Amino acid sequence: MLDVYRFVLALFVVQGHLLAGGAPWLAWQAVFSFYVLSGFLMTLVLDQDYGFDSGGIARFAANRALRLFPVYYAVIGLTALHIALIGPLNQLNAAIALPLTTPEWLANAFMAGLVGVDSSQLTERRLAPPAWSLSIELLCYMLLAVYFAKSRARLLFMFAAGAGISGAQIISDINRSDFGFQNHYTVLQAGLLPFAVGGLAYFYRHSRLFVFSSAKLSILVLGLFLNFFIGYWIDFHKYVSGLYVAIALNLALVPVLFAEGSKRKWQVLLGALSYPVFLSHWFFGTLAAVYFPVIPGSFMLFALASIGSILLGL
């Protein structure tokens, strides 16, 4: 069921970006849920498949590149060709533009460098707008592989570092209208806490707390929906605390779904499609708005963008 969950999270991101009546904070919570899931899965494959010697880390890095970059290059290549040969694609998202400087080109080419330690360092022009989160993922993959995924103690240290940074940021930005949301979200250090939680969930996956049951799953899913709905009434929860509640809920949800263990072909397919849907929905949504009589923010735009992304994934 983890594969189905990944696909649902991708759709949560799409609705937050393309539906006028959507909830952006549900998309933000989905991104943090992705981080926890990635922390769990990366710790699992490092521990069980690759190991932590130089050869294992090299194989891990090569397979992460093969997982991430082909679809990414397809999306940014199609985007760049359209902009250069046909016309702009920034009608829905101003970030979709050809890079202007060498650092911007390099950041777009390699994903690394799209974000920094402060939200002001977010690369302005991104051929695939959501790719900034992949910069965070790449950093956390590296941290897990070279040090933190080796033991619970190391992951607890990573957890403490992430919690400390997040707590200090909350205190620093408590009087801002958005409570410093972007400095919890579009910064490299945003991945430390959720990735550490995901890694710890892997090591504690055999705990009785995480044994699968329909009742337990129902309670956790209800928790996710409550976490989302509270954002309608409490701004601090919308911008900040909802992100961290999502991490806590996924600490239990991810190993519970893993324990359920189903791996039907259609579920595996949905899981594989989650990444292209997440990465390419802005591209296909913009094409739909430009070339079809589709109203921006409409459900039809959401549907066409999702269908285009799924077809690319297939």
Side-chain angles (χ1 to χ4, degrees):
M1 291 181 70
L2 276 177
D3 291 307
V4 177
Y5 183 47
R6 286 163 58 193
F7 186 75
V8 171
L9 290 176
L11 292 181
F12 284 168
V13 172
V14 178
Q15 66 80 34
H17 290 163
L18 297 181
L19 276 179
W25 64 95
L26 179 59
W28 308 335
Q29 293 171 12
V31 170
F32 269 50
S33 299
F34 267 128
Y35 291 159
V36 177
L37 179 56
S38 290
F40 181 93
L41 294 175
M42 294 307 102
T43 304
L44 183 153
V45 297
L46 283 163
D47 184 61
Q48 298 185 8
D49 298 333
Y50 296 104
F52 296 97
D53 60 13
S54 58
I57 293 174
R59 290 192 300 274
F60 172 76
N63 280 314
R64 290 311 93 206
L66 290 170
R67 173 73 176 88
L68 295 177
F69 280 96
V71 175
Y72 176 70
Y73 284 139
V75 173
I76 68 170
L78 290 170
T79 303
L81 284 173
H82 189 286
I83 294 171
L85 301 178
I86 301 173
L89 284 173
N90 59 356
Q91 291 86 346
L92 301 182
N93 188 327
I96 306 178
L98 292 176
L100 295 180
T101 66
T102 298
E104 283 186 339
W105 276 110
L106 291 173
N108 276 270
F110 298 107
M111 290 188 202
L114 290 172
V115 293
V117 296
D118 185 85
S119 60
S120 64
Q121 297 169 337
L122 177 67
T123 299
E124 183 179 355
R125 297 167 184 83
R126 305 184 304 280
L127 292 167
W132 61 264
S133 66
L134 300 178
S135 286
I136 296 172
E137 294 239 1
L138 288 173
L139 172 66
C140 291
Y141 290 172
M142 180 187 70
L143 293 175
L144 290 177
V146 301
Y147 187 80
F148 290 104
K150 292 181 181 180
S151 70
R152 300 179 191 186
R154 294 184 181 192
L155 284 165
L156 285 169
F157 180 81
M158 184 178 178
F159 173 88
I165 292 169
S166 298
Q169 198 67 58
I170 290 172
I171 294 171
S172 173
D173 294 331
I174 194 66
N175 293 319
R176 292 178 56 177
S177 60
D178 66 351
F179 305 98
F181 160 69
Q182 293 294 347
N183 277 321
H184 292 274
Y185 191 60
T186 55
V187 288
L188 284 172
Q189 60 270 26
L192 295 179
L193 184 58
F195 267 84
V197 166
L200 289 168
Y202 164 76
F203 278 109
Y204 289 100
R205 69 194 184 282
H206 296 307
S207 167
R208 292 176 58 188
L209 291 172
F210 302 142
V211 174
F212 177 83
S213 72
S214 297
K216 191 176 297 181
L217 177 60
S218 299
I219 292 170
L220 290 168
V221 170
L222 177 61
L224 290 177
F225 278 105
L226 287 174
N227 191 41
F228 153 61
F229 279 114
I230 291 171
Y232 280 109
W233 300 297
I234 302 175
D235 283 345
F236 182 74
H237 192 80
K238 176 191 296 184
Y239 289 114
V240 177
S241 58
L243 300 175
Y244 298 104
V245 173
I247 294 173
L249 289 168
N250 279 278
L251 169 63
L253 181 60
V254 169
V256 165
L257 290 174
F258 180 77
E260 190 274 339
S262 63
K263 277 285 185 180
R264 298 178 180 88
K265 289 184 178 180
W266 66 270
Q267 293 176 332
V268 174
L269 177 61
L270 286 181
L273 291 173
S274 61
Y275 177 56
V277 168
F278 170 78
L279 193 61
S280 66
H281 62 274
W282 275 114
F283 173 72
F284 287 106
T286 305
L287 291 182
V290 171
Y291 293 108
F292 298 95
V294 178
I295 299 173
S298 66
F299 179 80
M300 183 59 68
L301 182 76
F302 167 83
L304 289 175
S306 300
I307 291 169
S309 300
I310 288 170
L311 292 174
L312 175 69
L314 292 173

